[in-house]
Amino acid sequence: MAMADQRDMNILRTLALVALSVLPACLEVEQTIALTADGSGQQTVRMSMRETMLADLERTSSAASTGAGFATAVFDKELVGRELAAAGMTLVSHKAERKVPKRTVDLVAAFPDFAALQKSPLVGSSAEWTLTKGPKEGTAKLTLYPQGKTAWTDARAKAESMTKETDAVAEAFFRKKQTEITGLDLTVRFQVPGDVLVFTANMEKTGPREVVARITADQIKTPQDLVRRLAPRFEVIFDATGCKLPLQ
């Protein structure tokens, strides 16, 4: 295999293995980020996971390096409280239940400013948030890269190259991993302090000041789908008139 092909294959493997270690089969997550006019706000998470998958994650020795460690800790109120406090956030409420064969958790965390949200462990250790000036005066742009901006850039380039020529090795790897994301259902919701003006194609407007993105196993039918959806970018531009946001 040529060096460039090997590099591209490594990108695919890295994205898939890291994401799948944190996002196992039969995982349902609904997350809402509510940003207020001064940059503070709340992050709400609802998660449901099969007990067998939770046990597998807890036994994985590499969990701490992949970010899966927090995916298991989130069910423990004291642990998640400490993790959030270390990021400058406050655990407002936490309710964990065991409903065989699943474990569920509902939690609400408050962040006093945007800097604290940027450190939040609730999206994952690789996540990158930015809040910048929008393209027009009086607008702001909120962006989330769940796997980091570099991963998004690499995934985009890899997906585009895969549409031009078939990669048999990548196809075989994808088919093997496809069954591991059965039941995956992820929702990310942004609630912003001004009317929504523009948003990325992987989101939809569900209210004057709200956009939602959803990733499900049914959407992932090709290797290109895998790399794009497991290293996405979510972005919204909104009216920031009257806001006192810490725009970069």
Side-chain angles (χ1 to χ4, degrees):
M1 183 180 294
M3 185 178 294
D5 291 340
Q6 182 62 54
R7 182 191 64 223
D8 288 346
M9 189 59 201
N10 287 339
I11 291 172
L12 175 61
R13 285 199 177 107
T14 299
L15 289 172
L17 292 174
V18 171
L20 292 175
S21 67
V22 182
L23 307 176
C26 301
L27 174 69
E28 299 175 11
V29 179
E30 182 176 346
Q31 184 156 174
T32 299
I33 298 89
L35 184 71
T36 66
D38 65 359
S40 63
Q42 287 192 334
Q43 194 169 4
T44 303
V45 177
R46 294 181 177 180
M47 179 186 293
S48 174
M49 183 189 302
R50 283 188 176 274
E51 292 219 49
T52 52
M53 294 308 303
L54 180 60
D56 287 344
L57 284 177
E58 290 174 337
R59 287 195 296 267
T60 302
S61 60
S62 61
S65 63
T66 62
F70 191 78
T72 61
V74 74
F75 293 94
D76 187 306
K77 183 177 181 179
E78 291 187 8
L79 286 177
V80 73
R82 288 200 296 268
E83 290 277 358
L84 289 168
M89 299 177 67
T90 303
L91 182 61
V92 176
S93 64
H94 183 281
K95 181 180 180 181
E97 294 183 312
R98 178 180 276 107
K99 298 179 180 179
V100 179
K102 292 185 177 183
R103 290 277 296 277
T104 63
V105 63
D106 288 78
L107 69 85
V108 178
F111 50 92
D113 50 41
F114 188 72
L117 176 63
Q118 290 177 300
K119 300 175 185 177
S120 173
L122 295 176
V123 184
S125 59
S126 299
E128 293 182 32
W129 291 91
T130 63
L131 183 60
T132 63
K133 292 182 179 179
K136 295 183 179 180
E137 186 68 27
T139 65
K141 179 168 64 176
L142 175 65
T143 308
L144 167 62
Y145 300 94
Q147 294 295 335
K149 185 175 182 178
T150 298
W152 170 73
T153 301
D154 290 345
R156 188 180 181 186
K158 176 56 181 173
E160 289 178 356
S161 69
M162 292 170 73
T163 61
K164 299 176 182 178
E165 57 182 283
T166 301
D167 186 331
V169 178
E171 288 280 353
F173 178 78
F174 168 72
R175 298 304 171 194
K176 179 181 178 182
K177 290 296 178 182
Q178 191 174 25
T179 57
E180 297 182 28
I181 56 176
T182 301
L184 184 67
D185 191 344
L186 309 178
T187 299
V188 177
R189 179 180 293 104
F190 289 172
Q191 294 175 344
V192 291
D195 289 347
V196 170
L197 303 173
V198 183
F199 46 93
T200 46
N202 57 358
M203 308 190 85
E204 65 174 310
K205 186 176 179 181
T206 51
R209 298 185 174 188
E210 180 179 279
V211 287
V212 176
R214 191 177 180 200
I215 298 174
T216 66
D218 292 341
Q219 297 172 353
I220 304 175
K221 299 177 180 179
T222 67
Q224 295 96 310
D225 292 338
L226 179 67
V227 295
R228 285 185 183 279
R229 284 176 171 78
L230 294 186
R233 176 192 64 168
F234 302 129
E235 188 170 271
V236 58
I237 297 173
F238 59 94
D239 182 1
T241 304
C243 296
K244 297 181 179 180
L245 298 167
L247 302 180
Q248 299 170 342

